Amino acid sequence: MVDTTVDIKTIAEEFARAVAKPARRVNICAGTGCVANGALKVFDALKSKLQQENLPVVVNLIEEGEGAIHISKSGCQGFCQMGPLLTILPENILYTKVKVSDVDQIVDETLKKGTIVDRLLYKDISTGKNCKGTDDIPFYTRQTRRILSLCGNIDPEDIREYIYHDGYAAARRVYCEMTDVEVCNEILKSGLRGRGGGGFPTGKKWDLARVEPGPKKYIICNGDEGDPGAFMNRSVMEGNPHSVIEGMMIAARAIGADEGYVYVRA
Ligand code: FES
């Protein structure tokens, strides 16, 4: 039998070692808006340029990435109107409206010499100043991101990165240490409510489902963008899909379901 506690801890520790090895990370937004504006072509061009220049590059984090440049794709970073976006860490430089033709300069100036390419920075229209990244762009500094906190910062296709950020620890806890009643009570106490407009207390909803008799229960994740022009469900599902799966697992534990579906129309 797999010891889940040890496995999650080991995965997180191994990932922590791997993520510390590259000298830099270049994170290209691969959300729908940026992809529509050519982000994947920018990613491919960047990879080719780094290889041409004989710079060590890793796409999937592996232990041998010492001193390399780690290039990754993220979900939506939120600032879609300025995409394609490209973030360079650890400096936290955010380049906006990046095109394939910008890649040579990004590599030559920033990745080789550490110089910022001013023309690719976001200019704050109220002050006229260039903003280096999310720490000084008003769009980001005015937000407190909770559900979207990891969206745009992690590789959504790498489960290890989600686990590294405490992913699946709560699911492990509810399955190994809590009863269904305790889960419902904990969620009720947290004050979590539905975000569809009615604001119904989630713990109450789960408890009502829990006490329903029946041989089989399902978890249905409603990922439908019911409001015109809404993309918040897509942002979470594309940018941090494991958080959706973990939430479904926790809800399933609370109500006694053993099967789940995600509902999306487009
Ligand atoms: S799709 Fe790239 S910022 Fe939203």
Side-chain angles (χ1 to χ4, degrees), residues 28-36 39 74-85 139-140 235 238:
I28 295 175
C29 180
T32 304
C34 287
V35 167
S74 74
C76 175
Q77 297 180 10
F79 210 14
C80 310
Q81 65 271 39
M82 296 306 293
L85 301 181
F139 173 81
Y140 288 105
S235 290
E238 287 182 350

Side-chain angles (χ1 to χ4, degrees), residues 7-17 160 163-165:
D7 283 349
I8 286 179
K9 197 161 166 263
T10 304
I11 290 166
E13 285 170 357
E14 284 174 0
F15 189 84
R17 282 196 293 278
R160 299 170 308 159
I163 290 172
Y164 169 66
H165 288 283

